Amino acid sequence: MTMSVPERSSGSGGKEEESEDESEILEESPCGRWQKRKEQVSQGNVPGIESASLAMDTEEGVEVVWNEVQFSDKKVFKALEDKIKEMFENLMQVEHPNIVKFHKYWLDMRESGARVIFITEYMSSGSLKQFLKKTKKNHKTMNVKAWKRWCTQILSALSYLHSCDPPIIHGNLTCDTIFIQHNGLIKIGSVWHRLFVNAFPEAVHGQVRHHRDEQRNLHFFAPEYGLAEDDYAIDIFSFGICALEMAVLEIQANGDAVVPKEAITHAGQSLEDPLMREFIQSCVRHDAKKRPTAHDLLFHRVLFEVHSLKLLAAHCLINNQYLLPENCVEEKTKSFDPNAVMAEIQHTDRPGVQLRYSHVSPLELDKFLEDVKNGIYPLMNFAPPRPHPMPRALSLSQEHMETVKTPTPEPQETETRKVVQMHCNLESNEEGTKTHLTLFLKMEDKLHRQLSCDILPADSSKDLANELVHFAFISEEDCDMLAGFLEEALSDQLT
């Protein structure tokens, strides 16, 4: 979304009023955290959504999307309520850097009907389709490195979804439901589409509009779509068409509403790189059984832009960065001898290869680490294929029903994620009257928490741990473990 600054002239009144009108708060979530605005947003072709509005997350201070699904028949809604809750609880657990985040949901019963309201991440930079159109308009061609990074990120998300237990089939993957951020991070949205269609195809108010009615996107869907049971192969076909559009910027339809097969074939043949051509052709095979899996595609030669050892080392550094001093990478690179050997590959039948520190620019290294941290180089393709069971709820996801927001404080949400790693740093002041504690926690969903406070001699480890539970920084189950950890750390400091 682009924000325009109202002009300081006599004619600016209308624009200012319009802006104020769009930012008007229409509704609040029962807990008061999410505030719905008047401004409508489009976040891809998502059938079944009655409306999607811009909203504000008052806790994080960021914009989000407020989605609504309407039920005109309350009896049907009540009959499906348990199924709806189960579906949305599963969606709450989908956690991947290349998937649009599903934040929260709640149910709303009214006299006129019922609603399911859910909050999703707002992708302000727009869809991949919009980006490709702008690139073509500026008479530019697609950068091959960018294409590889995009394909890797999309496949990483698909591999994650397909390996969930039970598997999640996207079923609506197009360049309109893939979003790109300013830093190059790709996220796929509309993950809930097939779940909506399968869960309540006729119960939604106005019925779920079948996405294939969108003629311009028909070519993204596999020939067997709708004729057989959902399978990962339909997503692979859609991905292949997305990869082709990303490579050629646009598949020419010669003014037709539907992109013909001939245009797809011609676009594929226009690719100069034979590996890229073979990669895409394997995805769009007519026989679904012959299409590769997302995990297999991640190992295709055309996508290997970064050496696996470099990527593994970067992820290891990022995951344990809270254990390292600040700016440690920058300080370490300054001390290296440019001519020193960094790595060496030895061969028995031919000369070996030596890599020296002078071959790597510190600036390039910083940029690469930042990209890894942002999720642009996922590690999913180096992990063995395994089922991802949906974890238990990470936090209270079902908001309590309230007709009127109460003025009394809302109960504090509790933390249910387990702590998997702990580390702390203790520094006493010169007088010895207090100790500054810095606590580093790594949660089971890979969230890193850094907490700090001053401890007085009278403070007990148990009280500190109870306080962390009270403010939902740790779960009650971890209270005794953390208290013991702090007790041991404080004892070691005294000895």
Side-chain angles (χ1 to χ4, degrees), residues 46-97:
V46 188
I49 304 299
E50 187 74 11
S51 64
S53 305
L54 201 61
M56 177 59 73
D57 176 354
T58 59
E59 187 175 300
E60 297 292 335
V62 296
E63 291 175 318
V64 291
V65 180
W66 175 299
N67 306 273
E68 294 184 16
V69 182
Q70 302 276 356
F71 288 79
S72 55
D73 190 330
K74 286 197 286 186
K75 289 183 180 178
V76 173
F77 175 79
K78 291 298 290 183
L80 291 168
E81 188 171 354
D82 290 341
K83 193 174 184 180
I84 293 169
K85 286 181 180 178
E86 182 184 0
M87 182 187 77
F88 278 96
E89 287 291 343
N90 282 340
L91 284 172
M92 289 280 293
Q93 313 316 317
V94 173
E95 282 282 348
H96 192 279

Side-chain angles (χ1 to χ4, degrees), residues 54-227:
L54 201 61
M56 177 59 73
D57 176 354
T58 59
E59 187 175 300
E60 297 292 335
V62 296
E63 291 175 318
V64 291
V65 180
W66 175 299
N67 306 273
E68 294 184 16
V69 182
Q70 302 276 356
F71 288 79
S72 55
D73 190 330
K74 286 197 286 186
K75 289 183 180 178
V76 173
F77 175 79
K78 291 298 290 183
L80 291 168
E81 188 171 354
D82 290 341
K83 193 174 184 180
I84 293 169
K85 286 181 180 178
E86 182 184 0
M87 182 187 77
F88 278 96
E89 287 291 343
N90 282 340
L91 284 172
M92 289 280 293
Q93 313 316 317
V94 173
E95 282 282 348
H96 192 279
N98 302 116
I99 296 176
V100 171
K101 174 69 178 168
F102 189 105
H103 288 295
K104 201 84 168 178
Y105 83 96
W106 64 95
L107 312 181
D108 181 28
M109 291 283 286
R110 298 184 176 187
E111 290 185 11
S112 58
R115 294 184 299 169
V116 181
I117 301 165
F118 60 99
I119 306 296
T120 55
E121 184 179 3
Y122 176 49
M123 305 301 293
S124 58
S125 296
S127 69
L128 192 58
K129 173 74 81 175
Q130 293 168 327
F131 182 87
L132 296 175
K133 279 187 175 180
K134 288 178 185 175
T135 305
K136 185 176 182 183
K137 189 176 180 181
N138 293 329
H139 306 290
K140 293 183 179 179
T141 56
M142 179 49 58
N143 180 282
V144 176
K145 285 187 176 181
W147 181 86
K148 290 180 180 182
R149 284 196 288 267
W150 292 356
C151 286
T152 301
Q153 292 177 70
I154 297 167
L155 285 170
S156 180
L158 288 179
S159 180
Y160 170 87
L161 292 173
H162 294 169
S163 60
C164 286
D165 186 17
I168 297 176
I169 306 302
H170 191 287
N172 191 28
L173 190 69
T174 72
C175 288
D176 283 313
T177 57
I178 300 172
F179 301 93
I180 180 168
Q181 293 185 335
H182 64 279
N183 61 357
L185 183 67
I186 289 285
K187 294 203 177 197
I188 65 174
S190 189
V191 171
W192 49 87
H193 169 260
R194 288 306 293 162
L195 295 174
F196 276 16
V197 173
N198 293 335
F200 34 87
E202 297 177 358
V204 178
H205 174 68
Q207 296 190 357
V208 175
R209 176 171 55 85
H210 205 293
H211 61 271
R212 294 199 68 169
D213 292 340
E214 196 70 51
Q215 295 292 309
R216 66 193 173 92
N217 282 335
L218 275 178
H219 60 293
F220 285 97
F221 299 100
E224 75 275 11
Y225 189 91
L227 303 175

Side-chain angles (χ1 to χ4, degrees), residues 396-431:
L396 297 178
S397 58
Q398 175 61 28
E399 300 197 17
H400 297 292
M401 290 300 302
E402 295 181 32
T403 52
V404 180
K405 188 175 182 297
T406 57
T408 54
E410 294 278 331
Q412 177 72 42
E413 286 195 356
T414 57
E415 178 61 84
T416 58
R417 288 168 287 194
K418 297 281 291 179
V419 174
V420 295
Q421 281 186 25
M422 292 181 287
H423 174 70
C424 73
N425 185 45
L426 295 165
E427 294 180 3
S428 298
N429 63 354
E430 293 180 1
E431 296 79 15

